[in-house]
Amino acid sequence: MTAGALGAGQLCPRPTLDLRSRVPGHRDTLIGRDLEVLTLSALLGEEAHRLITLTGPGGVGKSRLACAAVADARIARVAYLDLHGTTGCDGLAETLAALLPDEPCLLVLDGCEQAADATAAAVDILLSHAPALRVLATSRRPLRLYGERFLPVPPLPAPPSPYRQDVLQLQDYAAVELFVDRARAIDPSFALTAQNARAVAEICTRMDGLPLAIELVTEKLRLFPVDSLLTRLREGRPVLGGYHAARSPLHRSVHSITEHSFRLLDEEQRALLTRLSVFTAGTNLPTAEEFWELPAHRTEQAVEALVGHHLLRVTPGGGEPRFTMFNTVREFCLERLSATGELPDARRRHAEHFLSLALEAEPHLTGPQQAKWLQRLAPLHEDLLAALAHLETSGRRLDAARATLALHRFWLVRGHLDLGEQWLAKAAEAFVAAPGHEEPSARAHAARGEVALARGSVRLAADCFWRAACAFREQGDTAHERAALAWLAFTHQPAGPEAIRKAAAQLLRVASDEGATVEVANAALPLAAGSWSTDAKLTADLLDTADTLFMRARDVRGEGLVLGLRGAVADARGDQTLSERLLWEGLYRLRSIGEHMVLPSVLEGHAVHVWRRLPHQGHRVARLLAAASALRESTGAHPPLLVHGAAAALPDARRQLSGSEYAAAWREGRVLSAVAAAGEALAFGPPPAGSASADHRPAQLTARQYEVAELVSQGMTNRQISQRLRLSEWTVVNHVREVMRRLDVPSRLHVAKWVLGREYRDAVDTVAE
């Protein structure tokens, strides 16, 4: 039976049975489904599988895959029945039973979801009374019959964020391959290049890898270039309208497919789906309950039904499950919300929710729950940006500025530097224009300066820090004024080291106060980087101070940055073993929070040391250097704090490896995520301790130094130790530094480990005696 043989549930009186060549043909190329075609054709070749159902969302290509697999399989007789658009199938079983032959036959039922219950009943009857019959069905959901073998059809693989411009890498994604193939059908000169690669990658991901959506979006290339098309998608403007002439009537647009799915839902399911469409990155059950204002059990039932219809999908990950919506479905639901006049209220509630979330997250982004909150915000980034945009366009500029200031640390850590700088510029303007907001205005200038400096915009950073210092001075906030001046001195470093020393002395004085914050610690790091080649003692003081403040706040990222800087200093001194160990420790901390901005520099430094220690590991070292390079490109970060000889290691790696080996290693490395690259580097392990390590020689500490070390192991700060021992705080600082030197350890944490280890060994020796 050919496509269109059914109309409004009425069967064609004489369905056609013939060879597999009568299955509807297609004039385009099937891309990215080689494995699925092989799997399905193999299943069709096994007579034990009498009912196979292809399931998946609308537009994923179930019908196309079914036809390709049937054409590939060796089946004598095939009957094809298109059920798309059918609302009822009364008499289907009886009609087909009278016409299907007794000999082995495959019945292809395409689009069973439109009359799922009736189709399932008919298939159950046919399979029970026709032993020679086998059925291949396509449906949004399984028929739920005994013996059914269902095969999910996933979207085509699409590139993950952050998007990179590596053309060879992107060509391996089937979604990109399909986009390029269909784009060339419109413009034969179209090619994937370094200039358009990121835009194409993001478009394919925004289309969820759905073949129909990708084909429809490429149709818009007749009107818009790739960059403009991506801009329209980011702005939420419709791009999937239109009519695909090569498809059957019910497959010619995403809108028609989604509308037919929507009709299968009850009123509660429709209401929930449309309200959740304002969430870009999905949501969890508690948030869905909050937005729908219904009991938990009814919300859960509705969500389960929507997942079953492939209108929502469960996002993998630990903790509370998240449910995301295909962008094609979102666009349809947003149109319905707009048509009913509910969209403004839904957008308002969405913005309020994420404004509250951003303000709640702010104090935790530099504390003991840093990793947890960074991980929580990461999948919600697009929703946070959408909330900021709505607050801005609806006239709530101060609320948008408050949320921006709350999120700046997240952007800095995760490498969203361009976005961060743009929103912080708006936030600073909003605070300046509003009387009574001098303090957040100063903080916004300082935060923008940090982001600008990370991007390599030194002049802009200097201007921001100057404005911040002036604003903090007017408020009498000495600590933050000194922090801003420290950053400013670093931006003016070519003027001479005297400015660095002066700013450092002022910063160290305010850092000794009990209320000193991580902002002061962060400001100490650029000064340490600017002074290590001219004043080793000042560098050590600054790093000790920063480390103390970071440990007091339990700021893991800060501890990782201190370790990275200490590793750079040790490398400059020629102590490569200590440098590698410090960088390994720093890398471990930065990976634990998903750091992206400074991680490439630390990764490169560690890779260089591995190369020196293990020259036979050239392939893996090249992978690590490639991963660092790709990560830096994706963030646009040029942090000035860490400098290593990564560039010098690349020629050595090239000389050791053949051209093809090096190219393969480089390609493999560029596809590694930040977490995967850091994990591969850490897998080398820290370098073995040398003869001078604290583990292999007794530490010669004085009685006072050991007393200080014991108090450090108890978690006391320098000030608390000075009060306990009735010493000046700077004397304690010198004692701690000397203890670390004698133990040959990089941080206070290692001092504590040494003390605890010694106490344990003493206890064991006592028991043995």
Side-chain angles (χ1 to χ4, degrees):
M1 184 175 292
T2 59
L6 292 180
Q10 300 301 314
L11 287 172
C12 173
R14 298 185 63 82
T16 302
L17 294 173
D18 211 320
L19 298 176
R20 57 184 180 277
S21 59
R22 295 302 298 270
V23 173
H26 295 266
R27 286 170 285 180
D28 55 3
T29 306
L30 182 62
I31 291 175
R33 296 299 188 194
D34 293 346
L35 180 60
E36 287 87 347
V37 170
L38 287 173
T39 302
L40 181 55
S41 60
L43 290 175
L44 292 174
E46 299 177 11
E47 296 183 0
H49 302 298
R50 297 193 59 205
L51 172 59
I52 303 172
T53 304
L54 301 182
T55 62
V60 79
K62 300 183 294 295
S63 303
R64 183 75 174 82
L65 173 60
C67 293
V70 169
D72 190 59
R74 296 180 178 180
I75 301 174
R77 288 183 177 269
V78 178
Y80 177 85
L81 191 59
D82 190 343
L83 297 174
H84 289 103
T86 303
T87 57
C89 286
D90 295 337
L92 175 62
E94 293 79 2
T95 303
L96 290 177
L99 297 172
L100 288 171
D102 293 332
E103 61 189 276
C105 175
L106 174 68
L107 174 62
V108 179
L109 297 176
D110 195 9
C112 298
E113 67 275 351
Q114 301 300 327
D117 294 339
T119 304
V123 169
D124 194 26
I125 294 172
L126 288 171
L127 291 176
S128 299
H129 293 83
L133 178 66
R134 300 168 63 210
V135 176
L136 172 62
T138 72
S139 178
R140 308 281 170 83
R141 50 179 177 158
L143 298 180
R144 297 187 176 90
L145 295 177
Y146 181 75
E148 179 182 24
R149 173 72 179 265
F150 67 92
L151 186 67
V153 182
L156 295 177
S161 176
Y163 306 107
R164 297 168 180 171
Q165 60 187 28
D166 192 320
V167 175
L168 292 177
Q169 170 199 342
L170 292 177
Q171 286 176 341
D172 292 336
Y173 289 96
V176 174
E177 184 183 358
L178 178 64
F179 183 98
V180 173
D181 181 82
R182 300 305 188 253
R184 284 176 178 162
I186 297 170
D187 178 7
S189 66
F190 183 87
L192 189 67
T193 65
Q195 288 70 38
N196 65 19
R198 286 183 182 175
V200 170
E202 185 171 345
I203 289 173
C204 291
T205 301
R206 286 180 176 270
M207 293 299 99
D208 305 302
L210 293 176
L212 179 58
I214 291 173
E215 291 181 344
L216 288 172
V217 81
T218 55
E219 292 285 332
K220 295 297 182 180
L221 293 176
R222 301 179 191 276
L223 303 176
F224 308 105
V226 173
D227 290 338
S228 299
L229 193 57
L230 177 59
T231 299
R232 293 176 68 86
L233 284 170
R234 287 174 173 172
E235 293 174 351
R237 299 163 69 181
V239 297
L240 294 179
Y243 200 65
H244 199 304
R247 298 281 181 173
S248 61
L250 292 173
H251 285 78
R252 287 180 180 172
S253 74
V254 173
H255 186 280
S256 63
I257 288 180
T258 308
E259 185 176 21
H260 277 82
S261 298
F262 203 73
R263 291 175 183 171
L264 302 177
L265 307 177
D266 61 31
E267 288 301 321
E268 284 190 349
Q269 294 164 2
R270 293 176 186 175
L272 176 61
L273 187 66
T274 52
R275 292 184 188 182
L276 294 184
S277 63
V278 294
F279 288 86
T280 303
T283 186
N284 53 25
L285 282 174
T287 306
E289 294 162 17
E290 173 189 340
F291 268 69
W292 200 19
E293 299 175 349
L294 278 182
H297 71 280
R298 289 175 62 183
T299 304
E300 187 172 341
Q301 290 172 356
V303 168
E304 184 178 4
L306 294 174
V307 170
H309 283 280
H310 291 278
L311 296 171
L312 289 180
R313 51 183 173 177
V314 182
T315 302
E320 182 78 23
R322 296 193 61 78
F323 304 95
T324 57
M325 191 178 298
F326 289 104
N327 287 314
T328 51
V329 177
R330 283 188 69 248
E331 189 171 300
F332 173 85
C333 293
L334 288 173
E335 289 177 4
R336 288 186 63 89
L337 276 180
S338 180
T340 59
E342 299 176 78
L343 185 57
D345 182 64
R347 292 283 195 203
R348 179 191 60 79
R349 295 182 65 186
H350 175 271
E352 291 284 356
H353 175 80
F354 284 99
L355 170 62
S356 299
L357 180 65
L359 297 179
E360 183 185 359
E362 183 177 17
H364 301 294
L365 295 179
T366 54
Q369 294 184 309
Q370 184 182 56
K372 171 186 173 183
W373 277 91
L374 288 170
Q375 184 179 10
R376 181 176 177 183
L377 292 180
L380 305 177
H381 188 214
E382 287 199 23
D383 276 303
L384 289 164
L385 293 177
L388 288 176
H390 179 79
L391 292 171
E392 180 81 14
T393 56
S394 60
R396 299 173 59 181
R397 296 186 63 203
L398 278 179
D399 283 335
R402 290 166 59 216
T404 295
L405 195 55
L407 292 171
H408 91 273
R409 186 63 57 189
F410 168 77
W411 286 327
L412 196 63
V413 172
R414 289 303 174 103
H416 301 296
L417 302 180
D418 289 340
L419 283 170
E421 199 279 317
Q422 294 167 15
W423 279 105
L424 284 166
K426 295 179 182 180
E429 291 176 2
F431 286 132
V432 168
H437 290 80
E438 290 77 14
E439 189 269 342
S441 174
R443 291 176 55 211
H445 283 305
R448 187 186 179 196
E450 282 193 65
V451 174
L453 190 59
R455 294 175 63 231
S457 303
V458 179
R459 284 191 176 183
L460 175 60
D463 180 66
C464 292
F465 290 131
W466 173 252
R467 293 172 183 271
C470 293
F472 283 128
R473 183 182 302 120
E474 291 176 1
Q475 299 165 59
D477 189 341
T478 304
H480 287 97
E481 178 196 353
R482 296 288 185 266
L485 289 174
W487 284 104
L488 183 62
F490 179 76
T491 62
H492 291 163
Q493 186 181 348
E498 186 57 36
I500 294 286
R501 283 195 289 267
K502 181 179 178 180
Q506 294 175 338
L507 189 70
L508 288 171
R509 279 196 290 271
V510 298
S512 63
D513 294 338
E514 193 67 33
T517 63
V518 292
E519 280 75 17
V520 175
N522 282 316
L525 299 181
L527 293 180
S531 63
W532 71 267
S533 62
T534 58
D535 193 335
K537 182 179 182 303
L538 180 60
T539 299
D541 288 342
L542 288 165
L543 290 178
D544 285 343
T545 298
D547 199 30
T548 299
L549 294 178
F550 284 133
M551 290 184 69
R552 180 194 301 171
R554 296 169 65 186
D555 188 307
V556 176
R557 179 178 186 262
E559 293 177 15
L561 296 181
V562 170
L563 287 164
L565 274 169
R566 282 183 166 148
V569 172
D571 189 38
R573 293 203 317 257
D575 193 341
Q576 295 181 6
T577 299
L578 177 60
S579 177
E580 184 180 354
R581 195 162 73 243
L582 290 166
L583 290 172
W584 191 91
E585 292 276 359
L587 194 60
Y588 180 83
R589 284 164 174 74
L590 295 177
R591 184 192 67 160
S592 70
I593 63 167
E595 216 280 345
H596 283 58
M597 197 265 285
V598 179
L599 184 70
S601 297
V602 180
L603 188 62
E604 285 175 341
H606 184 266
V608 170
H609 284 303
V610 170
W611 171 254
R612 292 168 179 166
R613 180 164 59 93
L614 304 170
H616 60 283
Q617 293 287 349
H619 185 278
R620 294 177 66 185
V621 170
R623 280 165 54 92
L624 295 178
L625 295 176
S629 172
L631 183 59
R632 184 177 287 111
E633 286 177 11
S634 68
T635 62
H638 298 281
L641 302 182
L642 297 169
V643 179
H644 292 286
L650 281 176
D652 291 339
R654 285 196 187 99
R655 281 192 292 270
Q656 188 194 55
L657 302 173
S658 67
S660 58
E661 288 177 323
Y662 179 81
W666 192 259
R667 285 196 302 271
E668 292 168 8
R670 288 186 64 85
V671 302
L672 292 175
S673 67
V675 173
E680 184 164 326
L682 291 170
F684 283 103
S691 60
S693 74
D695 293 332
H696 290 79
R697 62 171 170 81
Q700 300 298 323
L701 299 185
T702 66
R704 176 64 81 183
Q705 289 167 353
Y706 188 76
E707 193 174 12
V708 170
E710 282 189 311
L711 296 178
V712 167
S713 72
Q714 296 172 20
M716 287 191 178
T717 65
N718 290 340
R719 171 165 291 189
Q720 291 169 334
I721 295 173
S722 68
Q723 292 171 350
R724 171 72 66 86
L725 300 180
R726 298 184 182 275
L727 300 172
S728 72
E729 189 167 348
W730 291 113
T731 300
V732 172
V733 169
N734 288 327
H735 277 314
V736 171
R737 186 179 304 121
E738 183 62 19
V739 167
M740 291 167 58
R741 188 190 70 79
R742 294 195 178 196
L743 296 180
D744 191 21
V745 296
S747 70
R748 297 167 69 96
L749 178 62
H750 292 79
V751 173
K753 288 181 178 178
W754 180 86
V755 172
L756 295 174
R758 176 164 179 154
E759 291 175 350
Y760 173 77
R761 288 191 297 272
D762 291 345
V764 171
D765 292 342
T766 301
V767 172
E769 292 174 0

